[in-house]
Amino acid sequence: MITIVDTSLRDGMSSVSHKFTPEQVGAVARGLDQAGVRVIEVAHVIGIGASSIQYGLAAATDIEYVQAAVAAVDRADIAVLYVPGISTLATLDVVRDAGRPRFGSPRTGLRPTVPSSRSAMPATTVCAS
């Protein structure tokens, strides 16, 4: 089985100077979900926790982007990019919690893929399923 991971809501951030709004993220995520994309990656182009003067200030927080995407999809998993040295495991935990299903949600739960704290490689982390 081949799983396509759409990164346009992360990679595309650089083309708009990190100014996607949560509403735009939700609208694009909804369209990708309806098109059958199974994994949609959202975050700052450099990864979660990167919104800064050095890497570019985003229009919203990682939490707001994840929540907007999770709320907009019915089937797709929402993922983020974790890059050690730019983000922290504490930030990953907060963003993953933002993607958790709320009481009464039709979502079945999380399928996180958490990198090792010793990992030097970036990792895509699924926030919600």
Side-chain angles (χ1 to χ4, degrees):
M1 181 171 104
I2 295 173
T3 301
I4 294 174
V5 177
D6 185 280
T7 62
S8 57
L9 286 171
R10 183 184 61 77
D11 287 340
M13 277 284 194
S14 63
S15 65
V16 295
S17 300
H18 316 288
K19 300 305 180 201
F20 279 143
T21 65
E23 293 76 22
Q24 290 169 321
V25 167
V28 172
R30 185 176 305 105
L32 291 169
D33 181 56
Q34 290 172 349
V37 174
R38 290 294 302 136
V39 180
I40 303 166
E41 192 175 86
V42 302
H44 189 282
V45 69
I46 305 296
I48 58 171
S51 180
S52 65
I53 292 172
Q54 293 86 351
Y55 298 116
L57 291 170
T61 66
D62 296 317
I63 291 169
E64 291 169 319
Y65 291 134
V66 167
Q67 288 174 333
V70 167
V73 301
D74 292 320
R75 296 173 301 278
D77 291 331
I78 302 303
V80 299
L81 178 67
Y82 170 85
V83 179
I86 292 176
S87 190
T88 64
L89 290 175
T91 301
L92 179 63
D93 288 341
V94 170
V95 172
R96 188 177 33 197
D97 286 346
R100 288 189 191 277
R102 303 294 178 237
F103 181 75
S105 167
R107 297 205 176 282
T108 58
L110 300 177
R111 292 190 309 109
T113 308
V114 181
S116 163
S117 60
R118 294 183 208 99
S119 173
M121 297 300 296
T124 296
T125 302
V126 174
C127 291
S129 61

